[in-house]
Amino acid sequence: MDSSCKIAVIVVVYNKSCKGSITCQALKALRHTKVSVLVYDNSVRDFGNASYCEKQEWIYFSQGENVGISKAYNVCVDHLKKYMLADYLCLFDDDTNISEEYFDALNSAINDSGADIYVPLVFSAGRLLSPCKIKSNFNVSMFKDEQEALLYNRRDITAINSGMAIKLNVFDNYCYDEHIFLDGVDHNFMRDMNIQKRMIKVFPYRCTHEFSGDSKPSMQSALTRFQIFARDIGYILQNSRISYFFIAGKRAVKLTILYHSMSFLRTFFRVSSFKEFRGEAYERKND
């Protein structure tokens, strides 16, 4: 890639130290790749991340609370634009394992194409998690194999945030919707980019991601996550109630059976009234 092309990495950390973050440790271990690193700390208590980032000469942001993914991204993007720190930005969760080869593959892809957005092949528990295909009702279907994903060029492609690389000028007239706290931020972004007819390229780098759905959390943690999921999907699909009932209702039933608790169904029916999406944005509380 042209030496004048600058890459920045945005990592959102939640309730853990940078020392305990797979992503942060991978970035610290880089030897041959120069990137600007921005860490947005959504932790609700102090893990010593400010001093850690200062030692690494990383840019650190925190409001001492969980402001959500969308706001964290917007803060970091605004900083990159203000100080012209990058031509491309890469998004990572705090639990994605990356290496020098990721940036080598990304550089090659940028050299070979003029895409606006680049997404790698992300695997979780041995299966291809991202990219995938999404319908207008937010139903997702997986690619049968890597080759299909690499060759796919239709306007229903989507991907998770982690590992995604985006040309900074995409944000000249765009920002993340801060009504969406966590779930669906990535798919909503990709839907918007497809509507704008942005060029999206899948590049051949395999990375692993610790997807939250691969483990069984405590019931209270699962209920908190479902509340966020239901509200986010409810906001995104507020004009498509049938789709919301199908997606959120299906998950509510699954969690009700798994945890033997009606709390999930009660949350589902409360959010399904859609009252909180009218007028001002609803308030979020920290986990």
Side-chain angles (χ1 to χ4, degrees):
M1 185 173 64
D2 193 306
S3 60
S4 64
C5 189
K6 298 175 290 187
I7 293 179
V9 172
I10 297 173
V11 183
V12 178
V13 176
Y14 175 68
N15 278 355
K16 68 173 60 173
S17 68
C18 289
K19 289 182 180 179
S21 162
I22 295 172
T23 308
C24 289
Q25 291 308 296
L27 291 170
K28 181 183 176 183
L30 294 178
R31 293 292 178 266
H32 308 296
T33 303
K34 185 176 181 180
V35 295
S36 299
V37 178
L38 290 77
V39 173
Y40 198 105
D41 192 352
N42 262 340
S43 302
V44 297
R45 62 181 189 272
D46 187 4
F47 285 87
N49 290 331
S51 59
Y52 182 92
C53 290
E54 184 179 5
K55 290 177 182 177
Q56 304 304 319
E57 297 185 341
W58 295 349
I59 301 166
Y60 177 83
F61 300 97
S62 175
Q63 292 188 18
E65 61 179 345
N66 186 1
V67 301
I69 292 290
S70 294
K71 186 170 183 178
Y73 284 165
N74 283 338
V75 168
C76 292
V77 168
D78 287 346
H79 185 86
L80 291 173
K81 289 166 61 179
K82 181 179 179 179
Y83 295 101
M84 297 180 289
L85 295 178
D87 301 299
Y88 296 86
L89 62 90
C90 303
L91 303 176
F92 288 104
D93 296 341
D94 59 25
D95 54 4
T96 301
N97 194 9
I98 55 172
S99 66
E100 302 270 4
E101 285 73 25
Y102 166 87
F103 296 100
D104 291 341
L106 175 60
N107 290 346
S108 295
I110 291 172
N111 281 332
D112 292 341
S113 71
D116 300 296
I117 300 162
Y118 298 88
V119 295
L121 300 162
V122 182
F123 288 81
S124 180
R127 63 187 178 94
L128 180 61
L129 173 68
S130 175
C132 51
K133 295 170 280 187
I134 192 167
K135 297 179 181 178
S136 58
N137 62 5
F138 259 58
N139 278 330
V140 171
S141 60
M142 301 300 175
F143 289 111
K144 63 181 179 181
D145 54 35
E146 295 178 36
Q147 193 65 19
E148 182 187 10
L150 288 167
L151 296 175
Y152 200 76
N153 61 1
R154 295 184 181 178
R155 287 292 169 194
D156 60 347
I157 191 168
T158 190
I160 65 169
N161 288 318
S162 202
M164 187 183 298
I166 310 165
K167 210 168 190 177
L168 189 61
N169 66 14
V170 165
F171 298 97
D172 286 350
N173 296 294
Y174 184 87
C175 64
Y176 287 95
D177 188 341
E178 293 184 14
H179 291 88
I180 309 171
F181 191 76
L182 176 62
D183 293 291
V185 171
D186 40 19
H187 298 316
N188 192 67
F189 169 78
M190 291 293 282
R191 180 175 64 176
D192 290 344
M193 295 300 102
N194 279 313
I195 290 172
Q196 292 184 14
K197 297 184 178 180
R198 294 286 187 177
M199 184 175 175
I200 300 167
K201 173 74 174 177
V202 182
F203 68 100
Y205 176 79
R206 295 169 55 111
C207 60
T208 58
H209 179 74
E210 293 185 3
F211 183 50
S212 59
D214 294 337
S215 59
K216 182 181 178 180
S218 67
M219 191 194 122
Q220 187 53 53
S221 294
L223 182 58
T224 298
R225 283 292 290 110
F226 179 70
Q227 289 170 340
I228 294 172
F229 172 81
R231 288 176 176 175
D232 284 341
I233 298 302
Y235 171 79
I236 293 169
L237 297 174
Q238 58 185 296
N239 295 319
S240 181
R241 292 194 176 200
I242 293 176
S243 298
Y244 168 76
F245 282 126
F246 178 79
I247 294 172
K250 182 179 178 181
R251 182 170 294 195
V253 170
K254 180 180 178 181
L255 291 169
T256 297
I257 295 171
L258 183 62
Y259 288 93
H260 308 288
S261 171
M262 296 298 293
S263 298
F264 299 98
L265 285 174
R266 284 194 291 269
T267 296
F268 166 71
F269 286 117
R270 183 174 67 252
V271 176
S272 67
S273 69
F274 288 83
K275 290 180 180 179
E276 59 188 309
F277 306 127
R278 298 170 189 156
E280 297 298 320
Y282 55 87
E283 250 181 59
R284 291 287 189 176
K285 293 184 179 179
N286 292 317
D287 295 358

